[in-house]
Amino acid sequence: MDQGLRDLDLQIGSLTLRQIKAVTNNFDPANKIGEGGFGPVYKGLLKDGTIIAVKQLSSKSKHGNREFVNGIGMISSLRHPHLVKLYGCCIEGNQLLLVYEYMENNCLARALFGEGPEKCQLKLDWLTRRKIRIGIARGLAYLHEESRLKIVHRDIKATNVLLDKNLNPKISDFGLAKLDEEENSHISTRIAGTIGYMALEYAMRGYLTDKADIYSFGIVALEIVSGTRPSF
């Protein structure tokens, strides 16, 4: 993993484990704000008053070191209003941590369905739901067509869309993302993602294009419009 990090042209900072323990009060359970594919996520407060979110790779995580490095490499080079901003990372001993911007309204799944420890479902009017759908679409358009790296996210779902204090959506969790090589019509790869959100040609044959993200976005759009989770 160290070699993988050296090979990356990271545009983020590096924090020590001691610093992260200080800002999260030693990973106090009271500061836990969620549980992602990597592991738990904690709220932290920097000395300058900036609130951050710290994602800690669990030893029981279904994602491994390769996915962790992949996530760092992908998101460190991306800048868009509808993508979560990565501030830094920490690799120390057996600790693997990502530090990124804090999103006041947690994830879209909690807003729509009250998922998570706090069961905090939000009342979203139609204009807000429309704003969220358009924001996700703009984030995907950037990944697929506008960024220097053409990226297929592979895990677009309500829990991977975070909401800021104004309910603007930001796509997160790039651990499963794949580069879309322009000279190829598709990528044949091992299947990874979330059942129910995966396009059939990808789920059944590993046939991956950016259309896989569009399919996933369609499922999320249905969730936003209906306010209910589809039966998979």
Side-chain angles (χ1 to χ4, degrees), residues 26 32 45-46 48-49 57 70 84 90 103 105 108-109 112 130 137 140 158-159 165 167 170-171 180 187 191 198 209:
N26 198 22
K32 185 176 178 180
L45 182 65
L46 300 180
D48 64 1
L57 178 62
N70 191 44
V84 168
C90 173
M103 304 294 281
N105 281 298
L108 179 58
L112 289 174
R130 178 177 180 272
L140 284 177
T159 52
K165 62 182 179 180
L167 296 174
K170 300 196 179 190
I171 298 171
D180 186 358
I187 306 169
I191 298 169
M198 289 190 286
T209 69

Side-chain angles (χ1 to χ4, degrees), residues 182-217:
E182 292 185 3
E183 66 271 17
N184 296 327
S185 60
H186 72 281
I187 306 169
S188 294
T189 182
R190 69 178 181 86
I191 298 169
T194 303
I195 297 297
Y197 292 90
M198 289 190 286
L200 294 181
E201 71 274 9
Y202 173 55
M204 297 176 68
R205 302 193 302 275
Y207 186 100
L208 181 65
T209 69
D210 56 10
K211 293 179 182 179
D213 282 348
I214 304 305
Y215 179 93
S216 302
F217 168 71

Side-chain angles (χ1 to χ4, degrees), residues 10 15 28 39 48 50 64 117 155 176 180 210 214 216:
L10 296 180
L15 291 87
D28 188 338
D48 64 1
T50 302
D155 203 19
L176 298 180
D180 186 358
D210 56 10
I214 304 305
S216 302

Side-chain angles (χ1 to χ4, degrees), residues 15-223:
L15 291 87
T16 67
L17 181 59
R18 182 177 180 179
Q19 288 173 316
I20 291 179
K21 283 185 175 181
V23 300
T24 61
N25 195 19
N26 198 22
F27 302 107
D28 188 338
N31 288 328
K32 185 176 178 180
I33 56 177
E35 187 86 22
F38 279 106
V41 182
Y42 296 89
K43 182 179 179 180
L45 182 65
L46 300 180
K47 290 182 178 180
D48 64 1
T50 302
I51 302 175
I52 59 171
V54 178
K55 182 178 291 187
Q56 181 182 42
L57 178 62
S58 168
S59 59
K60 299 179 180 179
S61 171
K62 61 185 178 182
H63 297 319
N65 291 354
R66 179 180 299 178
E67 285 81 4
F68 184 85
V69 172
N70 191 44
I72 295 174
M74 291 288 184
I75 197 171
S76 71
S77 64
L78 302 176
R79 296 290 185 274
H80 191 271
H82 294 294
L83 301 181
V84 168
K85 182 179 180 181
L86 183 66
Y87 289 142
C89 65
C90 173
I91 297 100
E92 193 171 319
N94 63 350
Q95 292 286 339
L96 309 175
L97 304 124
L98 290 176
V99 179
Y100 58 95
E101 64 179 315
Y102 176 70
M103 304 294 281
E104 289 83 353
N105 281 298
N106 206 279
C107 69
L108 179 58
R110 191 182 76 160
L112 289 174
F113 316 121
E115 292 185 0
E118 297 180 8
K119 306 292 182 185
C120 185
Q121 187 174 4
L122 302 181
K123 292 183 179 180
L124 305 176
D125 58 32
W126 285 113
L127 286 178
T128 301
R129 290 172 191 257
R130 178 177 180 272
K131 178 177 74 170
I132 292 172
R133 292 199 310 274
I134 291 175
I136 300 170
R138 286 175 174 164
L140 284 177
Y142 172 78
L143 292 176
H144 295 168
E145 302 172 2
E146 301 164 11
S147 68
R148 179 175 60 85
L149 300 174
K150 304 300 184 263
I151 294 171
V152 182
H153 186 280
R154 288 207 298 172
D155 203 19
I156 296 296
K157 57 184 178 180
T159 52
N160 284 342
V161 175
L162 305 184
L163 302 173
D164 68 12
K165 62 182 179 180
N166 297 316
L167 296 174
N168 293 305
K170 300 196 179 190
I171 298 171
S172 69
D173 206 334
F174 285 77
L176 298 180
K178 282 280 188 181
L179 287 176
D180 186 358
E181 304 292 347
E182 292 185 3
E183 66 271 17
N184 296 327
S185 60
H186 72 281
I187 306 169
S188 294
T189 182
R190 69 178 181 86
I191 298 169
T194 303
I195 297 297
Y197 292 90
M198 289 190 286
L200 294 181
E201 71 274 9
Y202 173 55
M204 297 176 68
R205 302 193 302 275
Y207 186 100
L208 181 65
T209 69
D210 56 10
K211 293 179 182 179
D213 282 348
I214 304 305
Y215 179 93
S216 302
F217 168 71
I219 300 298
V220 174
L222 287 174
E223 292 178 325

